Amino acid sequence: MIFVKQFGAILLICLFSVTKNFSQQRFQVKSGIPLDSIRLSDPSVLADKNTQMYYMTGTGGLLWKSKDLEYWEGPYHVAKTNPDSWMGEKPMIWAAELHQYKNKYYYFATFTNRDVKIDTVAGNIIERRASHVLVSDKPEGPYMPMADRTYLPANKPTLDGTLWVDMNGKPYMVYCYEWLQNGNGTMEKIELKSDLSGSLGEGELLFKASDSPWSREKDSQGNDKPNKVTDGPYLFRTGTGRLGMIWTSWIYNVYTQGVAYSKSGTLDGPWDQAKNPITPPNFGHGMLFETFEGKTLMAVHSHKKVNDRTIRIPHLFEVDLTGDKLKVIKPFKF
């Protein structure tokens, strides 16, 4: 799962270890910051045609903006939560995404209230965590709560919600039900109201972490088995109209991203998991966007240990979607 980080040196601004006071910290806004100088988990980029600006979010509740993807300005605080809601006064914020939908902008993110415990499994205390949606009239925010205080069940830890609108114009949130409680993470969907202000009905299973042929881990006896983690879903269509989903898990201790394709062309699947990962080792939690010049890019973060410290840096890869499958071509060069 994604983790949150500590703020480091001035050019290495952003996220690191989230404390209860994280959302109240104030960072100095800087401009001309190279992309690879930002420390950021789960980067997500909105290419906003109205402002001709790129907006990047991720874990930590902050926003960066850029005209050219190479140099960035920020960070800005944009998420405004309700302290009287289930999130509490200072929720942790993970894996935020921005989506433009029906002339408004929506902030899909995972919020955690560390003061509320919902379960204990195998000795692990599970905190109140869920995917949720905020709204704004502008891409730079601020993003505010909407009508429904709860999108997903209070007794389940959910994360990494993303938006998908089907061929009939019906919006859905696709999200992960966390392995910490169910032991085998799942990918699920839930229908959203037409203005995204709440959810309708109950979540439905799309696939399980164990369905992946490439993710691996060892059980308590050292036996090899599929990994239990589902992380970072993002949906797309290929040039032939095929529905796909990139998502992330692990190969032992290596953070890895794979892809699945729906045989029916809808969220209902069944979902066919590709045999091999699609990005190099230690890259994951990807999303796709199109530049103002019409090039499709994938935003991911690298994930590695340096002197017992986990470092996460946003990266861009060129992607080919013109055929029947997603192909990651090469790192994007500015």
Side-chain angles (χ1 to χ4, degrees):
M1 176 42 209
I2 49 181
F3 301 92
V4 210
K5 312 130 191 143
Q6 270 181 356
F7 184 67
I10 202 71
L11 289 183
L12 304 180
I13 305 174
C14 210
L15 310 165
F16 302 167
S17 181
V18 172
T19 67
K20 285 186 66 177
N21 294 323
F22 180 86
S23 63
Q24 298 303 310
Q25 294 176 8
R26 290 296 177 261
F27 301 145
Q28 183 179 2
V29 172
K30 293 285 186 177
S31 60
I33 308 298
L35 180 64
D36 61 5
S37 290
I38 298 172
R39 299 296 179 257
L40 180 64
S41 291
D42 319 315
S44 180
V45 178
L46 171 70
D48 183 58
K49 294 181 179 179
N50 293 329
T51 59
Q52 287 294 294
M53 185 78 72
Y54 297 101
Y55 298 89
M56 182 170 66
T57 53
T59 286
L62 304 176
L63 176 141
W64 298 79
K65 59 184 181 180
S66 172
K67 287 286 188 181
D68 59 9
L69 294 173
E70 184 174 9
Y71 296 104
W72 295 81
E73 178 182 307
Y76 295 93
H77 287 266
V78 295
K80 308 296 182 182
T81 57
N82 179 0
D84 296 324
S85 72
W86 66 265
M87 299 179 192
E89 291 187 2
K90 302 176 182 69
M92 297 168 65
I93 302 176
W94 292 350
E97 298 180 357
L98 302 183
H99 294 272
Q100 185 180 12
Y101 177 75
K102 292 187 176 180
N103 299 317
K104 287 186 179 293
Y105 296 87
Y106 293 88
Y107 188 94
F108 280 63
T110 304
F111 299 88
T112 300
N113 185 338
R114 305 200 68 183
D115 293 328
V116 177
K117 319 301 181 184
I118 63 171
D119 202 354
T120 300
V121 178
N124 294 319
I125 296 175
I126 299 174
E127 299 161 341
R128 177 74 167 95
R129 175 180 304 125
S131 295
H132 202 84
V133 185
L134 308 178
V135 67
S136 177
D137 292 324
K138 300 180 294 184
E140 63 267 28
Y143 287 86
M144 309 295 290
M146 290 189 284
D148 281 19
R149 294 168 65 91
T150 303
Y151 281 69
L152 295 167
N155 61 346
K156 292 182 178 182
T158 58
L159 62 149
D160 295 354
T162 189
L163 174 66
W164 180 249
V165 181
D166 71 9
M167 301 291 282
N168 297 316
K170 187 178 293 185
Y172 291 87
M173 179 193 291
V174 175
Y175 61 93
C176 305
Y177 173 23
E178 195 167 25
W179 66 271
L180 286 171
Q181 187 177 57
N182 63 23
N184 185 7
T186 60
M187 206 66 75
E188 303 187 1
K189 69 166 185 176
I190 191 167
E191 186 179 346
L192 298 177
K193 296 178 180 180
S194 60
D195 63 355
L196 311 190
S197 64
S199 59
L200 301 169
E202 298 181 354
E204 298 178 33
L205 175 68
L206 303 184
F207 59 82
K208 298 179 180 180
S210 58
D211 293 340
S212 165
W214 52 264
S215 67
R216 311 305 299 167
E217 67 173 298
K218 299 287 186 180
D219 66 16
S220 58
Q221 275 69 52
N223 300 311
D224 205 61
K225 68 172 188 175
N227 199 282
K228 57 184 171 290
V229 174
T230 49
D231 188 62
Y234 198 86
L235 293 121
F236 63 92
R237 286 199 184 273
T238 67
T240 61
R242 193 179 188 192
L243 177 62
M245 182 196 303
I246 51 177
W247 66 285
T248 300
S249 190
W250 296 80
I251 301 178
Y252 307 114
N253 64 340
V254 180
Y255 198 57
T256 306
Q257 183 169 253
V259 64
Y261 295 96
S262 169
K263 292 183 177 180
S264 67
T266 72
L267 288 179
D268 292 326
W271 288 88
D272 183 23
Q273 303 290 333
K275 181 179 179 180
N276 298 311
I278 58 170
T279 48
N282 288 314
F283 289 89
H285 202 109
M287 59 81 59
L288 304 172
F289 69 97
E290 189 173 287
T291 69
F292 299 131
E293 294 74 34
K295 182 173 292 187
T296 302
L297 299 183
M298 175 187 290
V300 295
H301 73 255
S302 60
H303 190 288
K304 62 181 179 180
K305 287 280 189 178
V306 178
N307 298 325
D308 293 324
R309 182 180 179 186
T310 302
I311 303 296
R312 299 174 183 85
I313 303 172
H315 301 265
L316 301 175
F317 283 87
E318 292 187 27
V319 171
D320 181 6
L321 282 178
T322 59
D324 197 43
K325 294 183 178 180
L326 181 153
K327 295 180 181 179
V328 179
I329 304 172
K330 61 183 179 180
F332 177 64
K333 299 297 184 183
F334 299 105

